[in-house]
Amino acid sequence: MSFVWEFLHTLLMTIRDVTPIMVIIFGFQFAILKKPIANPVKVMIGFAYVIVGLSLFLVGLELALFPLGETMAMQLTAPDFLNQVRITLGGTLEWIDYYWVFLFAFCIGFSTTIAEPSLLAVAIKANQVSAGAISVNGLRIAVALGVAVGIALGSYRIVVGDPIHYYIIAGYILVVIQTYYAPKFIVPLAYDSGGVTTSTVTVPLVTALGLGLASTVPGRNPMIDGFGLIAFASLFPIISVMAYAQLTQYLTLVLLPIIALQKSRTPNIILLLRRRTMRFKLILAFVEDSKTEQVLDAARDAGATGATVINNARGEGLNKKQTFFGLTLEVQKDVVLFVVEEHLSRHILETISQVGEFDQTSGQGIAVQIDIEDAVGVAHQVETLTKVVEDEL
């Protein structure tokens, strides 16, 4: 009966917590958007599943996972257990004698992060938005490894008694450096990954571990040293996710082509591998014919490997220019097309704008870039483009 009452109490608390979310969603749908909800029956059934499932999840955590995790943390940091370790190893108790605690911290950090529902939700959305480029399990493992390393390092800090700000400042300096060099698409996701790790499953166990360590290690204050593991659990996933993207980029652009070339001794293999990982953009520039050569030279210096020029295109603004006799006089334009690698496209676009003086005088010209879904006839450019991109990266 105690389980039934516990479940009913948790169910009521969950309904109380979920109700504001439902009010906001339905309120905006009807009052602001003023549109009916598609499939209302399925939506209500889905909310019912969320409430019941979340209630069962919370009850399971309270009855099984939390007590077991707290017990393990207290037992591993208990003086009797540590004394047995000291007797086994001989000598006085040093920080290395807490290796079981560090191993437990690593394992519990990894396992609780993998079990986080919020991380799974973010990973699924990232996989959908990236069209499968970001693996669900790959992202979850990268985040879990970051949390595991962070909690293990935080446990070491508690044992040795170092100030926490040394570790946090050093960690964020590394994050800033990685932000500069990591692929741009992964940076916001990496920052979000640090937040979703500190949720329902991870926080109680990690907090119990920190307070248990600070309470049993001689010379430590639970209030000063016992807290802070959550900061490590939030910081190190940012580092690990960006490192995961950087490692993938290195393997794709550098290591795999080298291995394929060594195994096959066929240069076409490396070209095919690089072509599969390259993405191209089409830049269309509408420039005055007097500046076409300057734009071509500047784009070539910026990394473009070729261009197509369409002469004598007509350009006209909102207001027609008229001569003394009322005849319209239009400046002749050239259309210049560039097929460039995506990492170079923005730099080339800005170079064209500067040389063509697009932003300085109205009507001087415009340039746009368009994603290319696929392209043929560019194999002969891949080798040159790869060298340029690797130099830029």
Side-chain angles (χ1 to χ4, degrees), residues 95-319:
W95 68 266
I96 193 64
D97 300 331
Y98 290 84
Y99 64 92
W100 280 115
V101 176
F102 303 148
L103 180 61
F104 174 75
F106 182 92
C107 294
I108 202 67
F110 185 90
S111 59
T112 54
T113 305
I114 288 292
E116 280 290 356
S118 55
L119 176 59
L120 178 59
V122 170
I124 292 174
K125 288 300 180 183
N127 177 265
Q128 294 173 352
V129 172
S130 65
I134 298 176
S135 169
V136 174
N137 291 330
L139 180 62
R140 294 174 68 195
I141 292 174
V143 174
L145 285 175
V147 174
V149 172
I151 295 178
L153 186 61
S155 300
Y156 166 80
R157 181 201 68 83
I158 294 175
V159 171
V160 299
D162 290 338
I164 187 173
H165 58 275
Y166 292 164
Y167 295 84
I168 300 301
I169 291 174
Y172 275 108
I173 289 175
L174 179 58
V175 167
V176 171
I177 296 174
Q178 283 185 295
T179 302
Y180 182 79
Y181 289 103
K184 300 308 176 188
F185 73 90
I186 203 67
V187 172
L189 180 59
Y191 278 66
D192 280 350
S193 299
V196 299
T197 57
T198 53
S199 187
T200 311
V201 180
T202 307
V203 171
L205 295 178
V206 172
T207 304
L209 176 62
L211 291 175
L213 268 176
S215 301
T216 55
V217 175
R220 303 294 171 262
N221 186 324
M223 193 64 192
I224 297 175
D225 302 306
F227 296 96
L229 284 182
I230 303 301
F232 284 84
S234 301
L235 169 61
F236 279 83
I238 305 176
I239 299 174
S240 64
V241 171
M242 285 195 285
Y244 163 67
Q246 289 174 293
L247 178 62
T248 303
Q249 183 183 63
Y250 173 78
L251 291 175
T252 303
L253 292 178
V254 180
L255 193 58
L256 288 180
I258 292 175
I259 295 174
L261 182 62
Q262 290 177 345
K263 287 184 178 181
S264 65
R265 300 297 179 184
T266 303
N268 288 335
I269 297 297
I270 191 170
L271 289 176
L272 289 174
L273 284 172
R274 284 172 172 170
R275 183 180 175 185
R276 285 182 61 190
T277 58
M278 273 193 170
R279 296 181 183 274
F280 294 93
K281 289 184 179 291
L282 174 65
I283 295 180
L284 292 88
F286 303 86
V287 302
E288 290 189 359
D289 56 356
S290 61
K291 295 184 178 295
T292 299
E293 293 300 327
Q294 300 177 36
V295 168
L296 289 173
D297 292 339
R300 187 179 299 108
D301 294 338
T305 58
T308 299
V309 180
I310 303 176
N311 294 316
N312 300 325
R314 181 186 177 188
E316 181 177 301
L318 293 177
N319 299 317

Side-chain angles (χ1 to χ4, degrees), residues 7 48 63 71 73 103 111 114 117 142 163 219 234 248 274 290 321 340 363 372 385 391 393:
F7 173 73
L63 295 181
T71 301
L103 180 61
S111 59
I114 288 292
S234 301
T248 303
R274 284 172 172 170
S290 61
K321 299 179 182 179
V340 300
I372 296 178
L385 285 170
D391 291 342
L393 292 177

